[in-house]
């Protein structure tokens, strides 16, 4: 496209083009050639700029629509969106405008629109950007928002969107002593035992990282392993184990863990985390539907829409359109049925998804109990520190939402249920 060395802003616009235009997740784009020329700080800045733009996209488009007679090509629109979000949040007007005008002007296809970019962004740097703070909290795209409103009501979704608009804190799971970890890093000890930092900075520079005293894991994502309640010496299968947070929780309890994941590359990351924390597990790359063995307990963190993680991954509603969700729901059902055949008599299985869609949570367990009447749902397993009894659903599962603990930064959306044979 151009011989100019890539910059953080140019790379951020590229991220937006790929996410919104090509339906790719940010995590999938990380190794693209565009990022090869960036150092670690520039790469982090590019991802931050793209993330902040996606969080504020609804607001940016509302302001831009007042200035544009018709939307320009996506690449130009994304440059305008990025600039609008930066300028409305106190970015340096000269730097933002000049770099984005230059970026568009050097593009052979869109260079003629540099005047439009210049004019619109100068207006945003002036009075046109002032209404930013008065606009409504950005809404999720309607393909996702509509079914969620149907499931939870408009008030709950408004509260979820308020949390998703804010930059989330960082949660850590301590290997052994939560109070000591909280004290060492200056974090807040949450009721569930996770430690929360509001402004973490570079994770690997935090006290206890090199010594493996903790690992990064959202507070909600730490609850399924607590619900499973692993015991010393138990044979436990962690299905769909990567990136390994739950594997480490189970291993830290003294259980003998088999961690299975379909991706060898993702299992390498699990091994790195185990090595850093001094924990061990047997890692197997394979298909969950073909795995054989017998276990005291199984943790099935099933592949899902990941709609509960939008506060950390605002690219998701723009990269996806919901078309693959039906296939995921079928896969979850098949995984549940197969996992149950691997349990010893009297064994227990915790099923969880980081999804807000009831079809991937409550409905899955209701249907499982209907087709397998001898199963029991264990409500008592949900009596863990930090879990509000009001979060327990009619069928006996646990529904976590991003707006829970909203005054402390919220949590990821999750569904968790414990089933006994």
């Amino acid at each position: 496209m151009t011989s100019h060395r890539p910059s953080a802003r140019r790379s951020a616009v590229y991220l937006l083009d790929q996410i919104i235009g090509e339906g790719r997740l940010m995590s999938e784009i990380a190794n693209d050639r565009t990022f090869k020329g960036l150092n670690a700080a520039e790469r982090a800045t590019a991802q931050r700029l793209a993330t902040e733009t996606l969080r504020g996209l609804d607001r940016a488009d509302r302001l831009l629509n007042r200035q544009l007679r018709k939307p320009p090509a996506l690449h130009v629109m994304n440059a305008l969106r990025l600039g609008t979000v930066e300028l409305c949040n106190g970015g340096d007007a000269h730097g933002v405008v000049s770099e984005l005008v230059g970026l568009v002007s050097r593009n052979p296809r869109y260079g003629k629109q540099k005047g439009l970019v210049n004019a619109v962004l100068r207006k945003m740097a002036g009075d046109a950007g002032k209404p930013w703070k008065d606009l409504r909290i950005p809404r999720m795209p309607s393909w996702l928002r509509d079914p969620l409103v149907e499931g939870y009501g408009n008030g709950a979704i408004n509260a979820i969107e308020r949390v998703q608009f804010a930059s989330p804190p960082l949660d850590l799971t301590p290997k052994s002593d939560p109070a000591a970890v909280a004290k060492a890093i200056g974090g807040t000890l949450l009721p569930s035992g996770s430690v929360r930092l509001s402004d973490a900075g570079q994770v690997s520079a935090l006290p206890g990282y090199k010594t493996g005293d903790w690992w990064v894991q959202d507070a909600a994502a730490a609850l399924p392993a607590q619900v499973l309640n692993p015991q010393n010496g138990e044979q436990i299968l962690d299905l769909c184990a990567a990136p390994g947070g739950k594997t480490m929780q189970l291993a830290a309890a003294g259980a003998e863990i088999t961690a299975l994941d379909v991706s060898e590359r993702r299992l390498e990351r699990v091994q790195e985390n185990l090595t850093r924390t001094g924990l061990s597990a047997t890692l197997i790359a394979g298909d969950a539907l073909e795995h054989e063995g017998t276990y005291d307990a199984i943790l099935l963190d099933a592949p899902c829409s990941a709609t509960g993680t939008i506060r950390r991954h605002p690219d998701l509603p723009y990269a996806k359109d919901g078309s693959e969700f039906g296939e995921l729901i079928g896969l979850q059902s098949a995984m549940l049925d197969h996992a149950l055949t691997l349990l010893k008599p009297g064994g227990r299985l915790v099923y969880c998804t980081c999804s807000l869609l009831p079809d991937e949570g409550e409905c899955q367990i209701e249907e499982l109990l209907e087709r397998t009447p001898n199963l029991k749902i264990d409500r008592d397993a949900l009596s863990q520190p930090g879990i509000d009894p009001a979060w327990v659903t009619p069928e006996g599962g646990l529904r976590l939402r991003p707006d829970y603990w909203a005054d402390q930064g919220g949590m990821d959306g999750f569904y968790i249920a414990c089933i006994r044979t």
Side-chain angles (χ1 to χ4, degrees), residues 37-82:
L38 299 182
N39 61 38
E42 289 169 332
R43 183 184 289 245
T45 299
Q47 291 177 324
R48 176 183 59 78
L49 289 171
T51 297
E52 288 173 358
T53 303
L54 291 164
R55 282 206 181 98
L57 200 76
D58 186 38
R59 277 190 179 181
D61 283 359
R62 285 173 173 271
L63 289 182
L64 287 167
N65 287 341
R66 299 175 186 181
Q67 305 298 323
L68 299 166
R69 279 181 295 187
K70 62 177 185 178
L74 182 65
H75 177 71
V76 178
M77 188 66 176
N78 285 336
L80 289 171
R81 286 162 162 163
L82 180 79

Side-chain angles (χ1 to χ4, degrees), residues 175-191:
K175 186 165 74 173
S176 58
D177 190 340
V181 169
K183 185 178 179 182
I185 65 171
T188 302
L189 184 57
L190 296 173

Side-chain angles (χ1 to χ4, degrees), residues 60 130 142 164 192-193 229 241 268 285 315 324 330 359 399 408:
K130 285 185 177 174
S142 58
Q164 288 174 171
S192 58
N229 192 20
E268 288 172 9
D315 51 322
E324 79 275 33
D359 283 349
R399 167 53 66 193
Q408 299 176 75

Side-chain angles (χ1 to χ4, degrees), residues 249-321:
Q249 285 179 278
L250 301 172
E256 294 181 25
I257 311 304
T258 299
L260 183 137
D261 199 273
V262 74
S263 167
E264 284 193 34
R265 186 177 57 80
R266 281 161 59 85
L267 280 175
E268 288 172 9
R269 189 173 163 202
V270 176
Q271 186 57 62
E272 287 169 10
N273 284 324
L274 286 167
T275 302
R276 181 176 64 83
T277 54
L279 297 167
S280 62
T282 301
L283 306 189
I284 299 175
D287 186 336
L289 294 174
E290 295 174 1
H291 185 69
E292 295 178 0
T294 14
Y295 300 92
D296 298 302
I298 295 174
L299 178 52
L300 171 55
D301 186 356
C304 72
S305 64
T307 45
T309 67
I310 291 171
R311 63 198 265 274
R312 298 191 186 280
H313 304 288
D315 51 322
L316 192 141
Y318 297 103
K320 303 294 181 185
D321 61 4

Side-chain angles (χ1 to χ4, degrees), residues 63 72 75 131-132 136 143 146 188 215-216 222 227 263 292 305 337 347 359 410 414:
L63 289 182
H75 177 71
W132 173 268
R136 75 180 185 196
W143 71 262
D146 292 348
T188 302
W215 51 90
V216 175
V227 169
S263 167
E292 295 178 0
S305 64
D337 287 342
D359 283 349
F414 253 86

Side-chain angles (χ1 to χ4, degrees), residues 337-421:
D337 287 342
H338 180 65
L340 288 166
T341 70
L342 308 178
L343 275 180
K344 293 177 183 176
R348 65 200 187 281
L349 179 146
V350 165
Y351 168 80
C352 65
T353 56
C354 54
S355 169
L356 286 173
L357 297 167
D359 283 349
E360 298 185 282
E362 292 88 339
C363 298
Q364 282 286 13
I365 296 305
E366 285 170 357
E367 290 170 9
L368 175 69
L369 295 173
E370 281 177 17
R371 68 178 178 267
T372 321
N374 60 320
L375 296 176
K376 298 182 287 291
I377 194 147
D378 185 354
R379 292 170 182 266
D380 292 340
L382 305 179
S383 300
Q384 298 292 328
I387 291 179
D388 188 329
W391 301 345
V392 180
T393 56
E395 80 290 341
L398 184 68
R399 167 53 66 193
L400 305 177
R401 294 193 335 222
D403 58 316
Y404 295 164
W405 295 349
D407 57 337
Q408 299 176 75
M411 64 171 72
D412 280 355
F414 253 86
Y415 177 82
I416 306 164
C418 184
I419 299 143
R420 288 190 177 268
T421 55

